[in-house]
PDB file of all heavy atoms in Angstrom:
ATOM      1  N   GLY A  16       7.188  18.314  18.772  1.00 98.00           N
ATOM      2  CA  GLY A  16       8.313  19.105  18.153  1.00 98.00           C
ATOM      3  C   GLY A  16       7.947  19.518  16.725  1.00 98.00           C
ATOM      4  O   GLY A  16       8.825  19.620  15.886  1.00 98.00           O
ATOM      5  N   ILE A  21      12.396  18.856  11.299  1.00 98.00           N
ATOM      6  CA  ILE A  21      11.934  17.518  10.876  1.00 98.00           C
ATOM      7  C   ILE A  21      10.456  17.360  11.259  1.00 98.00           C
ATOM      8  O   ILE A  21       9.585  16.870  10.451  1.00 98.00           O
ATOM      9  CB  ILE A  21      12.768  16.397  11.500  1.00 98.00           C
ATOM     10  CG1 ILE A  21      14.150  16.428  10.864  1.00 98.00           C
ATOM     11  CG2 ILE A  21      12.107  15.069  11.238  1.00 98.00           C
ATOM     12  CD1 ILE A  21      15.180  15.394  11.449  1.00 98.00           C
ATOM     13  N   ASP A  40       4.049  21.301  20.416  1.00 99.00           N
ATOM     14  CA  ASP A  40       5.384  21.987  20.674  1.00 99.00           C
ATOM     15  C   ASP A  40       5.293  22.856  21.894  1.00 99.00           C
ATOM     16  O   ASP A  40       4.173  23.180  22.390  1.00 99.00           O
ATOM     17  CB  ASP A  40       5.758  22.842  19.415  1.00 99.00           C
ATOM     18  CG  ASP A  40       7.203  22.944  19.223  1.00 99.00           C
ATOM     19  OD1 ASP A  40       7.962  23.597  20.008  1.00 99.00           O
ATOM     20  OD2 ASP A  40       7.713  22.339  18.233  1.00 99.00           O
ATOM     21  N   ASP A  66       4.607  20.447  26.809  1.00 99.00           N
ATOM     22  CA  ASP A  66       6.032  20.151  27.072  1.00 99.00           C
ATOM     23  C   ASP A  66       6.176  18.639  27.310  1.00 99.00           C
ATOM     24  O   ASP A  66       5.635  18.127  28.216  1.00 99.00           O
ATOM     25  CB  ASP A  66       6.463  20.916  28.321  1.00 99.00           C
ATOM     26  CG  ASP A  66       7.985  20.863  28.517  1.00 99.00           C
ATOM     27  OD1 ASP A  66       8.560  19.877  28.066  1.00 99.00           O
ATOM     28  OD2 ASP A  66       8.505  21.761  29.171  1.00 99.00           O
ATOM     29  N   VAL A  67       6.915  17.985  26.397  1.00 99.00           N
ATOM     30  CA  VAL A  67       7.014  16.532  26.461  1.00 99.00           C
ATOM     31  C   VAL A  67       7.757  16.111  27.720  1.00 99.00           C
ATOM     32  O   VAL A  67       7.692  14.904  28.063  1.00 99.00           O
ATOM     33  CB  VAL A  67       7.671  15.884  25.210  1.00 99.00           C
ATOM     34  CG1 VAL A  67       6.831  16.163  23.945  1.00 99.00           C
ATOM     35  CG2 VAL A  67       9.081  16.338  25.059  1.00 99.00           C
ATOM     36  N   ASN A  93       8.994  13.132  18.324  1.00 98.00           N
ATOM     37  CA  ASN A  93      10.044  13.779  17.544  1.00 98.00           C
ATOM     38  C   ASN A  93      10.835  14.873  18.319  1.00 98.00           C
ATOM     39  O   ASN A  93      12.009  15.074  18.013  1.00 98.00           O
ATOM     40  CB  ASN A  93       9.425  14.380  16.259  1.00 98.00           C
ATOM     41  CG  ASN A  93      10.321  15.387  15.613  1.00 98.00           C
ATOM     42  OD1 ASN A  93      11.265  15.017  14.888  1.00 98.00           O
ATOM     43  ND2 ASN A  93      10.001  16.715  15.795  1.00 98.00           N
ATOM     44  N   SER A 146      18.490   8.699  15.531  1.00 98.00           N
ATOM     45  CA  SER A 146      19.362   9.596  14.725  1.00 98.00           C
ATOM     46  C   SER A 146      20.451   8.757  14.096  1.00 98.00           C
ATOM     47  O   SER A 146      20.726   7.593  14.666  1.00 98.00           O
ATOM     48  CB  SER A 146      20.050  10.608  15.626  1.00 98.00           C
ATOM     49  OG  SER A 146      21.042  11.304  14.964  1.00 98.00           O
ATOM     50  N   TYR A 159      23.711  13.980  23.894  1.00 98.00           N
ATOM     51  CA  TYR A 159      22.815  13.815  22.795  1.00 98.00           C
ATOM     52  C   TYR A 159      22.981  12.363  22.260  1.00 98.00           C
ATOM     53  O   TYR A 159      21.981  11.688  21.952  1.00 98.00           O
ATOM     54  CB  TYR A 159      23.124  14.813  21.662  1.00 98.00           C
ATOM     55  CG  TYR A 159      22.263  14.708  20.443  1.00 98.00           C
ATOM     56  CD1 TYR A 159      20.972  15.151  20.482  1.00 98.00           C
ATOM     57  CD2 TYR A 159      22.734  14.048  19.271  1.00 98.00           C
ATOM     58  CE1 TYR A 159      20.143  15.032  19.335  1.00 98.00           C
ATOM     59  CE2 TYR A 159      21.985  13.867  18.170  1.00 98.00           C
ATOM     60  CZ  TYR A 159      20.630  14.375  18.232  1.00 98.00           C
ATOM     61  OH  TYR A 159      19.882  14.203  17.051  1.00 98.00           O
ATOM     62  N   LYS A 163      20.246   9.314  21.883  1.00 98.00           N
ATOM     63  CA  LYS A 163      19.736   8.746  20.604  1.00 98.00           C
ATOM     64  C   LYS A 163      19.971   7.186  20.573  1.00 98.00           C
ATOM     65  O   LYS A 163      19.230   6.470  19.984  1.00 98.00           O
ATOM     66  CB  LYS A 163      20.381   9.444  19.491  1.00 98.00           C
ATOM     67  CG  LYS A 163      19.900  10.899  19.339  1.00 98.00           C
ATOM     68  CD  LYS A 163      18.397  10.975  19.123  1.00 98.00           C
ATOM     69  CE  LYS A 163      17.759  12.286  19.501  1.00 98.00           C
ATOM     70  NZ  LYS A 163      16.323  12.321  19.194  1.00 98.00           N
ATOM     71  N   GLY A 194      19.571  11.472   8.903  1.00 97.00           N
ATOM     72  CA  GLY A 194      21.034  11.725   8.718  1.00 97.00           C
ATOM     73  C   GLY A 194      21.282  13.186   9.078  1.00 97.00           C
ATOM     74  O   GLY A 194      21.583  13.511  10.214  1.00 97.00           O
ATOM     75  N   ALA A 195      21.204  13.999   8.040  1.00 97.00           N
ATOM     76  CA  ALA A 195      21.365  15.494   8.294  1.00 97.00           C
ATOM     77  C   ALA A 195      20.204  16.119   7.571  1.00 97.00           C
ATOM     78  O   ALA A 195      20.116  16.075   6.365  1.00 97.00           O
ATOM     79  CB  ALA A 195      22.703  15.881   7.716  1.00 97.00           C
ATOM     80  N   VAL A 196      19.360  16.831   8.357  1.00 98.00           N
ATOM     81  CA  VAL A 196      18.156  17.486   7.797  1.00 98.00           C
ATOM     82  C   VAL A 196      18.192  18.895   8.264  1.00 98.00           C
ATOM     83  O   VAL A 196      18.488  19.176   9.492  1.00 98.00           O
ATOM     84  CB  VAL A 196      16.943  16.743   8.305  1.00 98.00           C
ATOM     85  CG1 VAL A 196      15.642  17.396   7.728  1.00 98.00           C
ATOM     86  CG2 VAL A 196      16.951  15.303   7.831  1.00 98.00           C
ATOM     87  N   SER A 198      17.347  22.128   9.979  1.00 97.00           N
ATOM     88  CA  SER A 198      16.542  22.367  11.150  1.00 97.00           C
ATOM     89  C   SER A 198      17.164  23.431  12.014  1.00 97.00           C
ATOM     90  O   SER A 198      18.230  23.977  11.716  1.00 97.00           O
ATOM     91  CB  SER A 198      16.293  21.121  11.959  1.00 97.00           C
ATOM     92  OG  SER A 198      17.428  20.817  12.774  1.00 97.00           O
ATOM     93  N   ASN A 199      16.562  23.655  13.207  1.00 96.00           N
ATOM     94  CA  ASN A 199      17.155  24.658  14.180  1.00 96.00           C
ATOM     95  C   ASN A 199      17.935  24.029  15.307  1.00 96.00           C
ATOM     96  O   ASN A 199      18.301  24.654  16.262  1.00 96.00           O
ATOM     97  CB  ASN A 199      16.036  25.436  14.815  1.00 96.00           C
ATOM     98  CG  ASN A 199      15.195  26.308  13.834  1.00 96.00           C
ATOM     99  OD1 ASN A 199      15.764  26.630  12.792  1.00 96.00           O
ATOM    100  ND2 ASN A 199      13.968  26.574  14.142  1.00 96.00           N
ATOM    101  N   ILE A 200      18.152  22.720  15.194  1.00 96.00           N
ATOM    102  CA  ILE A 200      18.639  21.963  16.414  1.00 96.00           C
ATOM    103  C   ILE A 200      20.003  22.414  16.857  1.00 96.00           C
ATOM    104  O   ILE A 200      20.232  22.404  18.112  1.00 96.00           O
ATOM    105  CB  ILE A 200      18.534  20.433  16.137  1.00 96.00           C
ATOM    106  CG1 ILE A 200      18.640  19.679  17.458  1.00 96.00           C
ATOM    107  CG2 ILE A 200      19.670  19.984  15.135  1.00 96.00           C
ATOM    108  CD1 ILE A 200      18.160  18.195  17.454  1.00 96.00           C
TER     109      ILE A 200
HETATM  110  N1  NAD B 301      18.125  17.734  11.966  1.00 57.82           N
HETATM  111  C1  NAD B 301      18.828  16.635  11.843  1.00 57.82           C
HETATM  112  O1  NAD B 301      19.743  16.505  11.050  1.00 57.82           O
HETATM  113  C2  NAD B 301      18.589  15.477  12.832  1.00 57.82           C
HETATM  114  C3  NAD B 301      19.408  14.379  12.651  1.00 57.82           C
HETATM  115  C4  NAD B 301      19.145  13.228  13.437  1.00 57.82           C
HETATM  116  C5  NAD B 301      18.133  13.246  14.375  1.00 57.82           C
HETATM  117  N2  NAD B 301      17.350  14.360  14.454  1.00 57.82           N
HETATM  118  C6  NAD B 301      16.234  14.310  15.433  1.00 57.82           C
HETATM  119  O2  NAD B 301      15.072  14.817  14.910  1.00 57.82           O
HETATM  120  C7  NAD B 301      14.257  15.422  15.927  1.00 57.82           C
HETATM  121  C8  NAD B 301      13.834  16.764  15.522  1.00 57.82           C
HETATM  122  O3  NAD B 301      14.972  17.591  15.457  1.00 57.82           O
HETATM  123  P1  NAD B 301      15.112  18.871  14.512  1.00 57.82           P
HETATM  124  O4  NAD B 301      16.523  18.766  13.941  1.00 57.82           O
HETATM  125  O5  NAD B 301      13.975  19.024  13.578  1.00 57.82           O
HETATM  126  O6  NAD B 301      15.177  20.022  15.659  1.00 57.82           O
HETATM  127  P2  NAD B 301      14.515  21.473  15.716  1.00 57.82           P
HETATM  128  O7  NAD B 301      15.273  22.176  16.798  1.00 57.82           O
HETATM  129  O8  NAD B 301      14.519  22.126  14.382  1.00 57.82           O
HETATM  130  O9  NAD B 301      12.998  21.218  16.167  1.00 57.82           O
HETATM  131  C9  NAD B 301      12.752  20.619  17.386  1.00 57.82           C
HETATM  132  C10 NAD B 301      11.354  21.149  17.812  1.00 57.82           C
HETATM  133  O10 NAD B 301      11.106  20.517  19.143  1.00 57.82           O
HETATM  134  C11 NAD B 301      10.555  21.521  20.004  1.00 57.82           C
HETATM  135  N3  NAD B 301      10.734  21.149  21.422  1.00 57.82           N
HETATM  136  C12 NAD B 301      11.927  21.265  22.103  1.00 57.82           C
HETATM  137  N4  NAD B 301      11.769  20.883  23.366  1.00 57.82           N
HETATM  138  C13 NAD B 301      10.431  20.521  23.430  1.00 57.82           C
HETATM  139  C14 NAD B 301       9.634  20.021  24.506  1.00 57.82           C
HETATM  140  N5  NAD B 301      10.222  19.884  25.765  1.00 57.82           N
HETATM  141  N6  NAD B 301       8.406  19.752  24.311  1.00 57.82           N
HETATM  142  C15 NAD B 301       7.813  19.872  23.058  1.00 57.82           C
HETATM  143  N7  NAD B 301       8.524  20.380  22.005  1.00 57.82           N
HETATM  144  C16 NAD B 301       9.821  20.704  22.185  1.00 57.82           C
HETATM  145  C17 NAD B 301      11.235  22.763  19.574  1.00 57.82           C
HETATM  146  O11 NAD B 301      10.535  23.961  20.037  1.00 57.82           O
HETATM  147  C18 NAD B 301      11.274  22.671  18.106  1.00 57.82           C
HETATM  148  O12 NAD B 301      10.137  23.220  17.460  1.00 57.82           O
HETATM  149  C19 NAD B 301      15.073  15.378  17.202  1.00 57.82           C
HETATM  150  O13 NAD B 301      14.664  14.266  17.979  1.00 57.82           O
HETATM  151  C20 NAD B 301      16.507  15.134  16.696  1.00 57.82           C
HETATM  152  O14 NAD B 301      17.358  14.568  17.602  1.00 57.82           O
HETATM  153  C21 NAD B 301      17.569  15.472  13.762  1.00 57.82           C
END
Side-chain angles (χ1 to χ4, degrees):
I21 293 176
D40 210 290
D66 187 335
V67 298
N93 164 76
S146 168
Y159 179 80
K163 293 296 157 179
V196 179
S198 80
N199 297 335
I200 198 163

